[in-house]
Amino acid sequence: MSTAVVVEAPGVHRLEAHSPREPGPGEALVRVHAVGICGSDREVYQGNRPEGYVRYPLVPGHEWSGTVQAVGAGVSETLVGRKTVGEGFRNCQVCDRCHAGETTLCTAGYEETGFTQPGAMATTLTLPARLLHLLPDDADLTAAALLEPAACIAAAALKGNARPGERVAVVGTGTLGMFAVQFLKAISPSELLVVGTRSDREALSRRFGATDFRTKEQELPDDFDVVIETAGSASAAHTAASLLRRGGRLVLTGIPAPGAAGLDPTDLVVRQLEVHTVFGAPPDAWAHTVRVFGAGLLDPSPLVTHELPLAEFPQAIELVGSGDPKVGKVLLRP
């Protein structure tokens, strides 16, 4: 039977029968292969999502992969049968920010798959076909379910604009950190340092291309060209900035809890640091991610540790928040 997870309200969910919604003009119907769970899905379930960034009742799921099953009027039939992933932000496409390609800054307001619009924790997902990014025919759809978080880090890598031969670093060793390592490795840096709190992540960091690994308790350098922060901890931004040379480039992606150690504006000005932030992924970051994935330079597979059926949604949420170092990326399989 086709099913879907519905979060009625914080802490309240049900598994219900799911009927595919036929695609309207400009839309596509995707059969979901796998859907990932991240910290924001846990926020939705616990009720910690900021006001305006969730709408109950809701089918969650913004990290997904699948196969196009049908298309609506005005969409090429050649998409049917193709493996795909898709953008989450439901941007208006007509405001000045959308025309500039900055769709995550759409002035029409926030709408996103899995938060304010039905998500992929269901057998099928219907969405605007313009949001799809098609994959190679031989793509591993299980691995591809992680391309949404990878696209967010691709946006960070593009903003960091690291060049071959530069010294680069990543702060954070979770899923996003490991993606950052792979994107930075692809530009052939002279050094690639990973800084984290878990020494057990050193082997995986080096597998993905890190040339050095340190914990924050060890002595850290201060002369790197580009640093991407992915940890979202209270001190992560401060640590990341401290790694940079004068004139270095910092990209922040983590969202810490209130009360985090802030960046010193005097330090930013005197050292002429260039600071960027990322929230979501615009189309160019998605396209870059799919290209890198298709070229074999991005391997999400080692990050997946658990695959569960939709019926085990609450267990999957608990796994994500368990703090168990053996828990990596958790996927649900409709």
Side-chain angles (χ1 to χ4, degrees), residues 54-260:
V54 63
R55 187 180 301 135
Y56 301 101
L58 174 71
V59 176
H62 61 287
E63 305 177 1
W64 58 270
S65 63
T67 303
V68 179
Q69 186 169 310
V71 295
V75 181
S76 174
E77 290 284 344
T78 61
L79 269 63
V80 176
R82 292 294 304 273
K83 295 178 178 179
T84 190
V85 291
E87 298 176 35
F89 282 79
R90 305 293 187 92
N91 45 81
C92 74
Q93 291 292 289
V94 295
C95 72
D96 60 342
R97 292 301 86 206
C98 283
H99 281 304
E102 298 173 338
T103 53
T104 60
L105 298 175
C106 177
T107 60
Y110 173 77
E111 295 286 344
E112 186 176 3
T113 299
F115 296 107
T116 63
Q117 297 289 331
M121 290 188 191
T123 309
T124 66
L125 172 66
T126 303
L127 74 166
R130 62 181 172 79
L131 299 178
L132 299 180
H133 288 262
L134 302 179
L135 302 171
D137 292 338
D138 61 352
D140 178 351
L141 279 177
T142 300
L146 276 68
L147 292 188
E148 191 277 341
C152 296
I153 293 303
L158 291 172
K159 286 190 174 183
N161 192 29
R163 303 174 182 89
E166 287 194 312
R167 304 179 71 219
V168 300
V170 175
V171 175
T173 59
T175 298
L176 298 183
M178 294 301 95
F179 280 138
V181 172
Q182 294 184 66
F183 278 114
L184 291 175
K185 173 62 177 177
I187 57 94
S188 300
S190 60
E191 294 181 50
L192 205 176
L193 167 68
V194 174
V195 178
T197 58
R198 290 174 47 187
S199 58
D200 62 305
R201 299 293 274 185
E202 178 173 1
L204 188 59
S205 298
R206 291 186 181 276
R207 173 179 173 178
F208 285 141
T211 59
D212 192 8
F213 182 97
R214 303 187 194 186
T215 63
K216 292 192 296 182
E217 289 69 35
Q218 296 175 286
E219 183 179 357
L220 298 176
D222 60 2
D223 55 356
F224 276 65
D225 299 291
V226 177
V227 178
I228 296 179
E229 178 276 321
T230 69
S233 64
S235 61
H238 185 269
T239 298
S242 72
L243 295 170
L244 288 165
R245 63 167 173 81
R246 297 186 71 225
R249 306 186 294 283
L250 171 64
V251 188
L252 304 175
T253 71
I255 303 178

